[in-house]
Amino acid sequence: MKAIRTRAGLSFRLDVRTTAVVTLLLVAALAASVVLIGTGDFEIPAADVVRTLLGEGDAGQEFIINDLRLPRVLVGLLVGAALGLGGALFQSIARNPLGSPDVLGLGQGSTAGALTMIVLFQGSAVEVAGGALVGGLVTGAAIYLLAWKRGVHGYRLVLVGIGVSAFITAVNSYLLTKADFVDAARAVVWMTGSLNGRDWEQVWPLLVLCAVLVPLVLVYGRPLRMLEMGDDVANALGVRVERTRAVLLLASVLLTAAATAAAGPVSFVALTAPQLARRLTRSPGPNLMPAMFMGAALLIVADLASQRAFGADQLPVGVVTGVLGGVYLLWLLVTQRKAGRI
């Protein structure tokens, strides 16, 4: 930690390692994005991608990059950042590394909303996204209310979330059995989690939501750090515990639901990004900014791997994150058991 004083007399503390980690993650995400933009049936060198993004490319490259590939990459960055930040909030509030939206059932809730629009109403892409957003919000509200008992506490939140997740998974399976072949195929594709076909219609709503919620969450960073020390300590330090927890849970639910509405239930990014960020920074606390940039970098690198690592067989990005995240979850469970926490 380094103290910095400005000429105007203002002073603040800067965590040098955390700043370096955030900078490296930002550079990695941007570099992977440039490579990803150049990847496809028509390969474009990275130098030409940068030149085109700066407005100096030819007409053909501008169409391919600005109209076809750039929106997909921006959706990937925003979805990864939203999931990373949402996961960090949930894990910090629950004070449990397993307290992520993947485990608590928010992804399943969004899936239920999307499946309802696909199976029962044959909804358009916009209606499916809206259904996913509503499903995530309703699930988040249900978990909060069911976990309430003179406040919401970590392990109760996790246990209620696991129970709600199991129930909604059964509902989703039932909805799939009621769908015809075309709707079932469409639903399965959506449930995998993919960035294919994403355009500017998905970019702008997610960008606006992140522009509103990210500053709000960062303002609550200090009270959130105090919440990690326990409700009694936070109360003694002047934190309005339940109000702070409710605001941050709502922000996390909105971020997760919006990300799921934009790209489908991309699994395990919300679980792994905060933990990996914490291990890199070696800093206590929620590590909100590192988790956000880690989520963006993870999703873009996973999407790049899904397009390049399997030859002609391109996989949805949700398959890649699911495989990597599943391995990480097993490792996390083993380490938590050895530490005597579960």
Side-chain angles (χ1 to χ4, degrees):
M1 192 73 69
K2 182 178 181 181
I4 298 177
R5 183 178 297 275
T6 66
R7 293 183 178 180
L10 300 175
S11 63
F12 58 93
R13 293 185 300 170
L14 180 68
D15 190 321
V16 178
R17 185 181 180 90
T18 299
T19 303
V21 168
V22 168
T23 302
L24 290 175
L25 289 173
L26 176 60
V27 171
L30 293 178
S33 298
V34 170
V35 177
L36 182 58
I37 290 174
T39 300
D41 294 333
F42 182 77
E43 295 282 343
I44 302 176
D48 291 342
V49 171
V50 174
R51 190 179 303 112
T52 302
L53 291 175
L54 295 176
E56 300 177 0
D58 58 47
Q61 290 179 340
E62 286 184 357
F63 172 75
I64 293 173
I65 291 175
N66 295 331
D67 294 341
L68 300 181
R69 297 182 182 175
L70 180 59
R72 172 195 176 112
V73 172
L74 290 177
V75 169
L77 289 171
L78 291 169
V79 166
L83 291 175
L85 183 57
L89 288 172
F90 264 109
Q91 291 178 17
S92 182
I93 291 171
R95 285 183 283 172
N96 190 320
L98 296 177
S100 81
D102 298 307
V103 177
L104 298 184
L106 289 180
Q108 288 84 349
S110 295
T111 301
L115 287 179
T116 300
M117 297 307 299
I118 292 173
V119 175
L120 301 183
F121 300 102
Q122 291 76 47
S124 65
V126 174
E127 291 170 338
V128 171
L133 183 61
V134 172
L137 291 175
V138 171
T139 303
I143 293 172
Y144 184 83
L145 293 175
L146 291 172
W148 176 272
K149 185 180 180 181
R150 294 189 296 274
V152 175
H153 301 283
Y155 279 102
R156 189 185 304 128
L157 186 70
V158 173
L159 291 174
V160 169
I162 292 173
V164 170
S165 175
F167 173 78
I168 298 178
T169 299
V171 172
N172 292 341
S173 299
Y174 172 77
L175 287 173
L176 282 176
T177 64
K178 304 300 291 184
D180 60 32
F181 180 80
V182 174
D183 288 338
R186 182 185 174 198
V188 169
V189 170
W190 189 90
M191 291 171 62
T192 305
S194 175
L195 297 175
N196 291 336
R198 299 305 183 264
D199 56 27
W200 291 104
E201 290 184 0
Q202 284 83 36
V203 173
W204 296 119
L206 197 54
L207 181 61
V208 171
L209 186 72
C210 289
V212 173
L213 290 181
V214 170
L216 174 66
V217 168
L218 295 180
V219 167
Y220 276 87
R222 187 169 180 269
L224 180 60
R225 186 185 293 267
M226 295 178 184
L227 276 180
E228 289 188 335
M229 295 186 288
D231 289 1
D232 293 337
V233 174
N235 268 316
L237 294 173
V239 176
R240 301 178 67 176
V241 172
E242 290 306 324
R243 177 182 174 179
T244 300
R245 186 180 286 123
V247 169
L248 293 176
L249 279 174
L250 177 60
S252 181
V253 169
L254 282 171
L255 287 167
T256 305
T260 305
V266 180
S267 57
F268 288 114
V269 174
L271 174 68
T272 58
Q275 294 299 309
L276 293 176
R278 187 186 294 260
R279 281 166 171 76
L280 287 177
T281 62
R282 298 178 186 174
S283 175
N287 285 278
L288 298 178
M289 288 289 285
M292 184 172 66
F293 284 102
M294 175 63 78
L298 277 178
L299 192 55
I300 289 299
V301 170
D303 194 34
L304 181 61
S306 71
Q307 293 194 51
R308 291 206 166 192
F310 302 97
D313 299 323
Q314 295 185 6
L315 297 178
V317 67
V319 174
V320 178
T321 60
V323 171
L324 298 178
V327 173
Y328 176 81
L329 178 60
L330 290 174
W331 175 83
L332 180 63
L333 290 171
V334 170
T335 56
Q336 290 290 305
R337 183 176 181 181
K338 287 182 177 178
R341 298 190 181 101
I342 59 175

